[in-house]
Structure formats: C-alpha cells, structure tokens
Amino acid sequence: MSSLYTRSKEFPRSRKSTSDSPPATPSPTAKTLRHERLSRLESGGSNPTASDSYGDRTSARARREAREARLASLASLADEDGSRDYKKLYEGALTENQKLKTKLQEAQLELADVKSRLEKVAQQKQEKTPDRSSLLEVEKRERRALERKMSEMEEEMKVLTELKSDNQRLKDENGALIRVISKLSK
C-alpha cells in the first residue's frame, strides 16, 4: 500500500494512507518543537542594529512561505488529478534544489568573509595601543555586530540545510511515484 506525505506551514507532517482512515494527530512534543522553532525564527529579527540582515530574513521568510503555498497548491492538484506530469515536477524540484545549493554556497562565502573580518579586527586590536580606550570601545561594538551577524547567518544556514533535506525528500518521493506509475501503466 502506497502512502503520500504532505507538509505545510499550518499542518505538521502527517501520513495519509490511500484508504479512508483519518490522518494521525501529531504528538505534543512535535507540536512544542515546531512552536519553539517558529518562535526562534520570529524572535531573531528584533535586533534594531541589523536592519540589512532583517530584510534578508524577511525576504527569505516570504520566499519560504511562497514555496510552501506552491507546494500546498501542488498537493491539492495532485489530489484532484491523478495523471500529473511527474517529469515536470521532478525537473522543478531539481531546479529548486540547484537554486538552494547556490544560496547555500553564497551564505557560506559570506560567513567566511565575516569570520575573516572578525579575525582582522582581533589582530588590529592587539597591534594598536594608542587611544586604547576609544579604540577598544569601537572595536567592541564592531565585534558584537559581527558576532550577531555571524549567528544570524548560522541560523540561515540551518534553514537552508532544512530546505535542502526537504528537497531531497521530495525528489525521492517523486522517483517513487514515477516508479509506481510506470508499474501501474504496464
């Protein structure tokens, strides 16, 4: 018996059997973990000094919500029409996976840049001794800003890796569906 897995922002992952049995409800721990993850993502943007990264995060959140809406509409279309073009779906998943890979690489490069700047600031701090008090205060502010940006980028990297794993899972499911359809058509 085959089964389909769906996931959207409003509903946790649930297994839908091809029979008429209702889907299982998520466990309380799954609900709390999901709630904690969402609250972490939403509370991370309240930093007033990192307005640029906040804009990036909101655009990333908007892209993620748009992607989830597309996936939800695709899932509803799959329920309505059994004869879908799975090759197009597979190719779409591949292109989206490539886009995410490039975003991940860009984020890694930016993270490496921030780390190198942080190391430079630390070296300059050790080399410079005149006007120590004023320079020390400026360097502390810069260091805090860089550390905040670094932590935000690490969070974005986590989100990107989650998206990458979701894409891989979808690709695997598409392959399985293609195999099932080819067996049924024989």
Short mmCIF file of all heavy atoms in Angstrom, two decimals, residues 26-91:
data_model
loop_
_atom_site.label_atom_id
_atom_site.label_comp_id
_atom_site.label_asym_id
_atom_site.label_seq_id
_atom_site.Cartn_x
_atom_site.Cartn_y
_atom_site.Cartn_z
N PRO A 26 -0.45 14.91 15.48
CA PRO A 26 0.94 14.96 15.92
C PRO A 26 1.04 14.85 17.43
O PRO A 26 0.13 15.22 18.17
CB PRO A 26 1.41 16.34 15.43
CG PRO A 26 0.17 17.14 15.32
CD PRO A 26 -0.93 16.16 14.96
N SER A 27 2.19 14.35 17.87
CA SER A 27 2.40 14.21 19.30
C SER A 27 2.60 15.59 19.93
O SER A 27 2.99 16.54 19.25
CB SER A 27 3.63 13.33 19.55
OG SER A 27 4.78 14.02 19.11
N PRO A 28 2.38 15.72 21.23
CA PRO A 28 2.59 17.02 21.89
C PRO A 28 4.03 17.50 21.80
O PRO A 28 4.29 18.69 21.68
CB PRO A 28 2.18 16.77 23.34
CG PRO A 28 1.33 15.54 23.30
CD PRO A 28 1.77 14.74 22.12
N THR A 29 4.99 16.58 21.82
CA THR A 29 6.40 17.01 21.72
C THR A 29 6.69 17.57 20.34
O THR A 29 7.43 18.53 20.21
CB THR A 29 7.35 15.84 22.02
OG1 THR A 29 7.04 14.75 21.12
CG2 THR A 29 7.22 15.37 23.44
N ALA A 30 6.09 16.98 19.31
CA ALA A 30 6.29 17.51 17.96
C ALA A 30 5.71 18.91 17.84
O ALA A 30 6.30 19.79 17.21
CB ALA A 30 5.65 16.58 16.93
N LYS A 31 4.56 19.12 18.47
CA LYS A 31 3.96 20.46 18.44
C LYS A 31 4.84 21.49 19.14
O LYS A 31 5.05 22.59 18.66
CB LYS A 31 2.58 20.44 19.09
CG LYS A 31 1.51 19.78 18.26
CD LYS A 31 0.18 19.84 18.97
CE LYS A 31 -0.92 19.16 18.19
NZ LYS A 31 -2.19 19.17 18.90
N THR A 32 5.37 21.11 20.31
CA THR A 32 6.20 22.07 21.05
C THR A 32 7.51 22.35 20.32
O THR A 32 7.98 23.48 20.30
CB THR A 32 6.50 21.57 22.48
OG1 THR A 32 7.13 20.28 22.38
CG2 THR A 32 5.23 21.46 23.29
N LEU A 33 8.11 21.32 19.71
CA LEU A 33 9.35 21.54 18.97
C LEU A 33 9.11 22.47 17.78
O LEU A 33 9.89 23.37 17.51
CB LEU A 33 9.92 20.21 18.47
CG LEU A 33 10.52 19.31 19.54
CD1 LEU A 33 10.93 17.97 18.94
CD2 LEU A 33 11.70 19.98 20.21
N ARG A 34 8.01 22.26 17.08
CA ARG A 34 7.68 23.11 15.95
C ARG A 34 7.43 24.55 16.42
O ARG A 34 7.88 25.52 15.81
CB ARG A 34 6.45 22.56 15.23
CG ARG A 34 6.11 23.33 13.98
CD ARG A 34 4.99 22.64 13.23
NE ARG A 34 4.72 23.29 11.98
CZ ARG A 34 4.02 24.41 11.84
NH1 ARG A 34 3.53 25.00 12.90
NH2 ARG A 34 3.82 24.95 10.67
N HIS A 35 6.71 24.68 17.55
CA HIS A 35 6.44 26.01 18.09
C HIS A 35 7.73 26.72 18.49
O HIS A 35 7.91 27.91 18.23
CB HIS A 35 5.49 25.88 19.28
CG HIS A 35 5.23 27.20 19.97
ND1 HIS A 35 4.51 28.20 19.37
CD2 HIS A 35 5.63 27.67 21.18
CE1 HIS A 35 4.46 29.25 20.20
NE2 HIS A 35 5.13 28.94 21.29
N GLU A 36 8.65 25.99 19.13
CA GLU A 36 9.92 26.58 19.54
C GLU A 36 10.71 27.04 18.32
O GLU A 36 11.30 28.11 18.31
CB GLU A 36 10.74 25.58 20.34
CG GLU A 36 10.19 25.32 21.73
CD GLU A 36 10.95 24.20 22.42
OE1 GLU A 36 11.92 23.67 21.86
OE2 GLU A 36 10.54 23.86 23.54
N ARG A 37 10.73 26.22 17.26
CA ARG A 37 11.48 26.58 16.06
C ARG A 37 10.89 27.83 15.43
O ARG A 37 11.61 28.75 15.04
CB ARG A 37 11.47 25.42 15.07
CG ARG A 37 12.34 25.68 13.86
CD ARG A 37 12.48 24.49 12.96
NE ARG A 37 11.18 24.12 12.45
CZ ARG A 37 10.75 22.89 12.30
NH1 ARG A 37 11.53 21.89 12.61
NH2 ARG A 37 9.56 22.63 11.83
N LEU A 38 9.57 27.91 15.34
CA LEU A 38 8.93 29.09 14.75
C LEU A 38 9.18 30.33 15.60
O LEU A 38 9.44 31.41 15.09
CB LEU A 38 7.43 28.86 14.59
CG LEU A 38 7.04 27.90 13.46
CD1 LEU A 38 5.54 27.65 13.50
CD2 LEU A 38 7.46 28.44 12.13
N SER A 39 9.10 30.18 16.93
CA SER A 39 9.31 31.35 17.78
C SER A 39 10.75 31.82 17.71
O SER A 39 11.03 33.01 17.78
CB SER A 39 8.90 31.04 19.22
OG SER A 39 9.73 30.04 19.76
N ARG A 40 11.70 30.88 17.57
CA ARG A 40 13.10 31.28 17.40
C ARG A 40 13.29 32.06 16.13
O ARG A 40 13.97 33.08 16.11
CB ARG A 40 14.00 30.04 17.35
CG ARG A 40 14.66 29.69 18.63
CD ARG A 40 15.79 28.72 18.37
NE ARG A 40 15.45 27.77 17.33
CZ ARG A 40 15.35 26.47 17.48
NH1 ARG A 40 15.61 25.92 18.62
NH2 ARG A 40 15.02 25.69 16.48
N LEU A 41 12.69 31.60 15.05
CA LEU A 41 12.83 32.30 13.77
C LEU A 41 12.20 33.69 13.83
O LEU A 41 12.72 34.65 13.29
CB LEU A 41 12.20 31.49 12.64
CG LEU A 41 12.98 30.25 12.21
CD1 LEU A 41 12.18 29.45 11.21
CD2 LEU A 41 14.31 30.63 11.63
N GLU A 42 11.04 33.80 14.48
CA GLU A 42 10.36 35.09 14.54
C GLU A 42 11.04 36.04 15.51
O GLU A 42 11.10 37.24 15.28
CB GLU A 42 8.91 34.89 14.93
CG GLU A 42 8.11 34.21 13.86
CD GLU A 42 6.70 33.85 14.30
OE1 GLU A 42 6.37 34.05 15.47
OE2 GLU A 42 5.94 33.38 13.46
N SER A 43 11.58 35.55 16.61
CA SER A 43 12.20 36.44 17.59
C SER A 43 13.58 36.89 17.15
O SER A 43 14.10 37.86 17.66
CB SER A 43 12.29 35.75 18.95
OG SER A 43 13.20 34.66 18.88
N GLY A 44 14.20 36.22 16.19
CA GLY A 44 15.54 36.58 15.75
C GLY A 44 15.60 37.91 15.03
O GLY A 44 16.65 38.50 14.91
N GLY A 45 14.50 38.43 14.51
CA GLY A 45 14.52 39.66 13.71
C GLY A 45 14.29 40.92 14.51
O GLY A 45 14.06 41.96 13.94
N SER A 46 14.34 40.89 15.82
CA SER A 46 14.03 42.08 16.61
C SER A 46 15.25 42.94 16.89
O SER A 46 15.17 43.87 17.67
CB SER A 46 13.39 41.65 17.94
OG SER A 46 14.30 40.87 18.67
N ASN A 47 16.37 42.68 16.29
CA ASN A 47 17.59 43.43 16.52
C ASN A 47 17.57 44.70 15.68
O ASN A 47 17.59 44.63 14.46
CB ASN A 47 18.79 42.55 16.16
CG ASN A 47 20.09 43.21 16.49
OD1 ASN A 47 20.10 44.32 17.02
ND2 ASN A 47 21.18 42.55 16.19
N PRO A 48 17.55 45.89 16.29
CA PRO A 48 17.45 47.12 15.51
C PRO A 48 18.74 47.48 14.78
O PRO A 48 18.70 48.22 13.83
CB PRO A 48 17.11 48.18 16.55
CG PRO A 48 17.62 47.65 17.84
CD PRO A 48 17.53 46.16 17.73
N THR A 49 19.91 46.97 15.18
CA THR A 49 21.15 47.36 14.53
C THR A 49 21.42 46.54 13.29
O THR A 49 22.28 46.89 12.51
CB THR A 49 22.34 47.20 15.50
OG1 THR A 49 22.41 45.83 15.90
CG2 THR A 49 22.18 48.10 16.70
N ALA A 50 20.74 45.45 13.08
CA ALA A 50 20.99 44.58 11.92
C ALA A 50 19.82 44.66 10.96
O ALA A 50 19.22 43.67 10.62
CB ALA A 50 21.22 43.16 12.39
N SER A 51 19.50 45.87 10.49
CA SER A 51 18.33 46.04 9.63
C SER A 51 18.53 45.38 8.28
O SER A 51 17.59 44.89 7.69
CB SER A 51 18.02 47.52 9.46
OG SER A 51 19.11 48.16 8.84
N ASP A 52 19.76 45.35 7.76
CA ASP A 52 20.01 44.70 6.47
C ASP A 52 19.73 43.21 6.55
O ASP A 52 19.07 42.64 5.69
CB ASP A 52 21.45 44.93 6.03
CG ASP A 52 21.70 46.39 5.68
OD1 ASP A 52 20.73 47.11 5.41
OD2 ASP A 52 22.87 46.78 5.68
N SER A 53 20.23 42.56 7.59
CA SER A 53 20.00 41.12 7.70
C SER A 53 18.55 40.84 8.03
O SER A 53 18.03 39.80 7.66
CB SER A 53 20.92 40.53 8.76
OG SER A 53 20.63 41.09 10.01
N TYR A 54 17.88 41.77 8.69
CA TYR A 54 16.45 41.57 8.97
C TYR A 54 15.66 41.58 7.66
O TYR A 54 14.78 40.76 7.46
CB TYR A 54 15.94 42.67 9.90
CG TYR A 54 14.47 42.56 10.18
CD1 TYR A 54 13.98 41.56 11.00
CD2 TYR A 54 13.56 43.43 9.59
CE1 TYR A 54 12.62 41.45 11.25
CE2 TYR A 54 12.21 43.32 9.81
CZ TYR A 54 11.74 42.34 10.65
OH TYR A 54 10.40 42.22 10.89
N GLY A 55 16.03 42.46 6.74
CA GLY A 55 15.39 42.49 5.43
C GLY A 55 15.65 41.20 4.67
O GLY A 55 14.76 40.66 4.01
N ASP A 56 16.88 40.70 4.76
CA ASP A 56 17.19 39.42 4.12
C ASP A 56 16.36 38.30 4.73
O ASP A 56 15.87 37.42 4.02
CB ASP A 56 18.67 39.10 4.27
CG ASP A 56 19.55 40.05 3.48
OD1 ASP A 56 19.05 40.71 2.57
OD2 ASP A 56 20.75 40.10 3.79
N ARG A 57 16.22 38.32 6.04
CA ARG A 57 15.47 37.26 6.73
C ARG A 57 13.99 37.33 6.37
O ARG A 57 13.35 36.31 6.15
CB ARG A 57 15.65 37.36 8.23
CG ARG A 57 15.12 36.12 8.92
CD ARG A 57 15.43 36.05 10.37
NE ARG A 57 16.74 36.53 10.68
CZ ARG A 57 17.04 37.24 11.74
NH1 ARG A 57 16.14 37.50 12.63
NH2 ARG A 57 18.26 37.67 11.96
N THR A 58 13.45 38.56 6.29
CA THR A 58 12.03 38.66 5.93
C THR A 58 11.82 38.24 4.50
O THR A 58 10.81 37.59 4.19
CB THR A 58 11.50 40.09 6.14
OG1 THR A 58 12.31 41.01 5.41
CG2 THR A 58 11.48 40.46 7.61
N SER A 59 12.76 38.58 3.61
CA SER A 59 12.60 38.12 2.23
C SER A 59 12.75 36.61 2.16
O SER A 59 12.07 35.96 1.37
CB SER A 59 13.59 38.82 1.31
OG SER A 59 14.91 38.48 1.65
N ALA A 60 13.64 36.05 2.96
CA ALA A 60 13.77 34.59 3.00
C ALA A 60 12.49 33.96 3.53
O ALA A 60 12.03 32.93 3.02
CB ALA A 60 14.96 34.18 3.87
N ARG A 61 11.92 34.58 4.55
CA ARG A 61 10.66 34.06 5.10
C ARG A 61 9.55 34.16 4.06
O ARG A 61 8.75 33.25 3.91
CB ARG A 61 10.27 34.85 6.36
CG ARG A 61 9.04 34.27 7.05
CD ARG A 61 8.67 35.01 8.31
NE ARG A 61 9.75 34.94 9.27
CZ ARG A 61 10.06 35.91 10.11
NH1 ARG A 61 9.37 37.02 10.14
NH2 ARG A 61 11.07 35.78 10.95
N ALA A 62 9.52 35.26 3.30
CA ALA A 62 8.50 35.42 2.27
C ALA A 62 8.68 34.37 1.18
O ALA A 62 7.71 33.79 0.69
CB ALA A 62 8.55 36.82 1.67
N ARG A 63 9.95 34.12 0.80
CA ARG A 63 10.21 33.08 -0.20
C ARG A 63 9.78 31.72 0.32
O ARG A 63 9.21 30.92 -0.41
CB ARG A 63 11.70 33.05 -0.58
CG ARG A 63 12.12 34.20 -1.47
CD ARG A 63 13.52 33.99 -2.01
NE ARG A 63 14.53 33.77 -1.00
CZ ARG A 63 15.24 34.72 -0.43
NH1 ARG A 63 15.09 35.97 -0.80
NH2 ARG A 63 16.15 34.42 0.49
N ARG A 64 10.08 31.45 1.59
CA ARG A 64 9.71 30.15 2.17
C ARG A 64 8.19 30.01 2.20
O ARG A 64 7.66 28.95 1.86
CB ARG A 64 10.28 30.03 3.58
CG ARG A 64 10.03 28.66 4.20
CD ARG A 64 10.71 28.49 5.56
NE ARG A 64 10.21 29.45 6.52
CZ ARG A 64 10.94 30.37 7.15
NH1 ARG A 64 12.20 30.48 6.91
NH2 ARG A 64 10.39 31.20 8.00
N GLU A 65 7.48 31.08 2.57
CA GLU A 65 6.02 31.00 2.59
C GLU A 65 5.45 30.82 1.19
O GLU A 65 4.50 30.06 1.00
CB GLU A 65 5.44 32.25 3.25
CG GLU A 65 5.70 32.31 4.74
CD GLU A 65 5.27 33.63 5.38
OE1 GLU A 65 4.80 34.52 4.66
OE2 GLU A 65 5.41 33.73 6.59
N ALA A 66 6.05 31.49 0.21
CA ALA A 66 5.59 31.32 -1.17
C ALA A 66 5.84 29.90 -1.65
O ALA A 66 4.99 29.30 -2.31
CB ALA A 66 6.31 32.32 -2.09
N ARG A 67 6.98 29.34 -1.27
CA ARG A 67 7.29 27.96 -1.64
C ARG A 67 6.30 27.01 -1.01
O ARG A 67 5.81 26.08 -1.65
CB ARG A 67 8.72 27.62 -1.19
CG ARG A 67 9.10 26.19 -1.49
CD ARG A 67 10.54 25.92 -1.04
NE ARG A 67 10.85 24.53 -1.16
CZ ARG A 67 10.65 23.64 -0.22
NH1 ARG A 67 10.15 23.99 0.94
NH2 ARG A 67 10.95 22.36 -0.42
N GLU A 68 5.98 27.23 0.26
CA GLU A 68 5.01 26.36 0.94
C GLU A 68 3.62 26.48 0.32
O GLU A 68 2.91 25.49 0.19
CB GLU A 68 4.97 26.68 2.43
CG GLU A 68 6.22 26.25 3.16
CD GLU A 68 6.27 26.70 4.59
OE1 GLU A 68 5.38 27.44 5.03
OE2 GLU A 68 7.22 26.32 5.28
N ALA A 69 3.27 27.68 -0.12
CA ALA A 69 1.97 27.86 -0.78
C ALA A 69 1.96 27.11 -2.11
O ALA A 69 0.96 26.48 -2.46
CB ALA A 69 1.69 29.35 -1.01
N ARG A 70 3.09 27.18 -2.85
CA ARG A 70 3.17 26.43 -4.11
C ARG A 70 3.04 24.94 -3.85
O ARG A 70 2.34 24.23 -4.57
CB ARG A 70 4.50 26.71 -4.81
CG ARG A 70 4.55 28.03 -5.53
CD ARG A 70 5.74 28.09 -6.48
NE ARG A 70 6.99 27.62 -5.93
CZ ARG A 70 7.87 28.37 -5.30
NH1 ARG A 70 7.65 29.65 -5.13
NH2 ARG A 70 8.99 27.85 -4.84
N LEU A 71 3.75 24.46 -2.82
CA LEU A 71 3.68 23.04 -2.51
C LEU A 71 2.28 22.63 -2.09
O LEU A 71 1.81 21.55 -2.45
CB LEU A 71 4.70 22.69 -1.41
CG LEU A 71 6.15 22.73 -1.83
CD1 LEU A 71 7.05 22.48 -0.64
CD2 LEU A 71 6.44 21.74 -2.93
N ALA A 72 1.60 23.48 -1.33
CA ALA A 72 0.23 23.17 -0.92
C ALA A 72 -0.69 23.12 -2.12
O ALA A 72 -1.55 22.24 -2.22
CB ALA A 72 -0.27 24.20 0.09
N SER A 73 -0.52 24.06 -3.05
CA SER A 73 -1.37 24.04 -4.26
C SER A 73 -1.05 22.83 -5.11
O SER A 73 -1.94 22.22 -5.70
CB SER A 73 -1.20 25.33 -5.05
OG SER A 73 0.09 25.40 -5.61
N LEU A 74 0.22 22.45 -5.17
CA LEU A 74 0.59 21.25 -5.91
C LEU A 74 -0.03 20.00 -5.27
O LEU A 74 -0.49 19.11 -5.97
CB LEU A 74 2.11 21.10 -5.98
CG LEU A 74 2.84 22.05 -6.91
CD1 LEU A 74 4.35 21.86 -6.79
CD2 LEU A 74 2.41 21.85 -8.33
N ALA A 75 -0.04 19.97 -3.95
CA ALA A 75 -0.63 18.82 -3.26
C ALA A 75 -2.12 18.75 -3.52
O ALA A 75 -2.67 17.66 -3.73
CB ALA A 75 -0.36 18.91 -1.76
N SER A 76 -2.81 19.90 -3.54
CA SER A 76 -4.25 19.88 -3.81
C SER A 76 -4.52 19.48 -5.25
O SER A 76 -5.47 18.78 -5.55
CB SER A 76 -4.88 21.25 -3.51
OG SER A 76 -4.39 22.22 -4.41
N LEU A 77 -3.64 19.90 -6.18
CA LEU A 77 -3.80 19.49 -7.56
C LEU A 77 -3.55 18.00 -7.71
O LEU A 77 -4.21 17.33 -8.52
CB LEU A 77 -2.84 20.26 -8.46
CG LEU A 77 -3.19 21.73 -8.73
CD1 LEU A 77 -2.08 22.39 -9.54
CD2 LEU A 77 -4.51 21.85 -9.44
N ALA A 78 -2.65 17.45 -6.94
CA ALA A 78 -2.36 16.03 -7.00
C ALA A 78 -3.57 15.23 -6.54
O ALA A 78 -3.84 14.15 -7.06
CB ALA A 78 -1.15 15.69 -6.15
N ASP A 79 -4.29 15.75 -5.55
CA ASP A 79 -5.50 15.07 -5.09
C ASP A 79 -6.58 15.11 -6.17
O ASP A 79 -7.33 14.15 -6.34
CB ASP A 79 -6.02 15.72 -3.81
CG ASP A 79 -5.09 15.47 -2.63
OD1 ASP A 79 -4.27 14.53 -2.72
OD2 ASP A 79 -5.18 16.22 -1.64
N GLU A 80 -6.67 16.21 -6.91
CA GLU A 80 -7.72 16.37 -7.92
C GLU A 80 -7.41 15.55 -9.17
O GLU A 80 -8.30 14.95 -9.76
CB GLU A 80 -7.86 17.84 -8.30
CG GLU A 80 -8.36 18.71 -7.17
CD GLU A 80 -8.30 20.19 -7.53
OE1 GLU A 80 -7.96 20.51 -8.68
OE2 GLU A 80 -8.58 21.01 -6.65
N ASP A 81 -6.19 15.54 -9.60
CA ASP A 81 -5.86 14.93 -10.88
C ASP A 81 -4.79 13.86 -10.68
O ASP A 81 -3.69 14.16 -10.26
CB ASP A 81 -5.36 16.01 -11.85
CG ASP A 81 -5.16 15.48 -13.24
OD1 ASP A 81 -5.67 14.39 -13.57
OD2 ASP A 81 -4.50 16.17 -14.02
N GLY A 82 -5.10 12.63 -11.00
CA GLY A 82 -4.17 11.53 -10.79
C GLY A 82 -3.15 11.43 -11.91
O GLY A 82 -2.13 10.77 -11.75
N SER A 83 -3.39 12.03 -13.06
CA SER A 83 -2.46 11.91 -14.18
C SER A 83 -1.63 13.18 -14.31
O SER A 83 -1.84 13.99 -15.18
CB SER A 83 -3.24 11.65 -15.47
OG SER A 83 -4.12 12.72 -15.70
N ARG A 84 -0.67 13.34 -13.43
CA ARG A 84 0.20 14.52 -13.43
C ARG A 84 1.44 14.25 -14.25
O ARG A 84 1.80 13.11 -14.48
CB ARG A 84 0.60 14.84 -11.99
CG ARG A 84 -0.58 15.27 -11.16
CD ARG A 84 -0.10 15.89 -9.93
NE ARG A 84 0.85 16.93 -10.28
CZ ARG A 84 0.82 18.13 -9.81
NH1 ARG A 84 -0.08 18.46 -8.96
NH2 ARG A 84 1.71 19.02 -10.15
N ASP A 85 2.09 15.30 -14.63
CA ASP A 85 3.35 15.16 -15.35
C ASP A 85 4.47 15.14 -14.31
O ASP A 85 4.96 16.18 -13.89
CB ASP A 85 3.52 16.32 -16.33
CG ASP A 85 4.70 16.10 -17.26
OD1 ASP A 85 5.32 15.02 -17.18
OD2 ASP A 85 4.99 17.01 -18.05
N TYR A 86 4.86 13.96 -13.92
CA TYR A 86 5.85 13.81 -12.86
C TYR A 86 7.24 14.22 -13.32
O TYR A 86 8.07 14.61 -12.49
CB TYR A 86 5.85 12.37 -12.34
CG TYR A 86 4.59 12.06 -11.59
CD1 TYR A 86 3.54 11.38 -12.18
CD2 TYR A 86 4.44 12.50 -10.28
CE1 TYR A 86 2.38 11.14 -11.49
CE2 TYR A 86 3.28 12.26 -9.58
CZ TYR A 86 2.25 11.58 -10.18
OH TYR A 86 1.11 11.35 -9.50
N LYS A 87 7.48 14.16 -14.59
CA LYS A 87 8.79 14.60 -15.08
C LYS A 87 8.96 16.09 -14.84
O LYS A 87 10.02 16.55 -14.41
CB LYS A 87 8.92 14.28 -16.56
CG LYS A 87 10.30 14.59 -17.11
CD LYS A 87 10.43 14.16 -18.55
CE LYS A 87 11.83 14.46 -19.05
NZ LYS A 87 11.99 14.09 -20.45
N LYS A 88 7.91 16.87 -15.08
CA LYS A 88 7.98 18.32 -14.83
C LYS A 88 8.17 18.59 -13.34
O LYS A 88 8.93 19.48 -12.96
CB LYS A 88 6.73 19.02 -15.33
CG LYS A 88 6.66 19.16 -16.83
CD LYS A 88 5.44 19.93 -17.24
CE LYS A 88 5.36 20.06 -18.75
NZ LYS A 88 4.15 20.76 -19.17
N LEU A 89 7.46 17.83 -12.52
CA LEU A 89 7.62 18.01 -11.07
C LEU A 89 9.04 17.70 -10.64
O LEU A 89 9.64 18.42 -9.84
CB LEU A 89 6.65 17.10 -10.31
CG LEU A 89 5.18 17.49 -10.36
CD1 LEU A 89 4.33 16.42 -9.68
CD2 LEU A 89 4.97 18.82 -9.68
N TYR A 90 9.59 16.64 -11.18
CA TYR A 90 10.94 16.24 -10.85
C TYR A 90 11.94 17.30 -11.29
O TYR A 90 12.83 17.68 -10.54
CB TYR A 90 11.26 14.89 -11.51
CG TYR A 90 12.65 14.41 -11.27
CD1 TYR A 90 13.03 13.91 -10.03
CD2 TYR A 90 13.61 14.44 -12.28
CE1 TYR A 90 14.31 13.48 -9.80
CE2 TYR A 90 14.89 14.00 -12.07
CZ TYR A 90 15.24 13.51 -10.82
OH TYR A 90 16.51 13.07 -10.60
N GLU A 91 11.77 17.80 -12.51
CA GLU A 91 12.65 18.85 -13.01
C GLU A 91 12.52 20.12 -12.19
O GLU A 91 13.50 20.80 -11.91
CB GLU A 91 12.37 19.13 -14.48
CG GLU A 91 12.78 18.00 -15.40
CD GLU A 91 12.29 18.18 -16.83
OE1 GLU A 91 11.52 19.12 -17.08
OE2 GLU A 91 12.70 17.38 -17.68
#
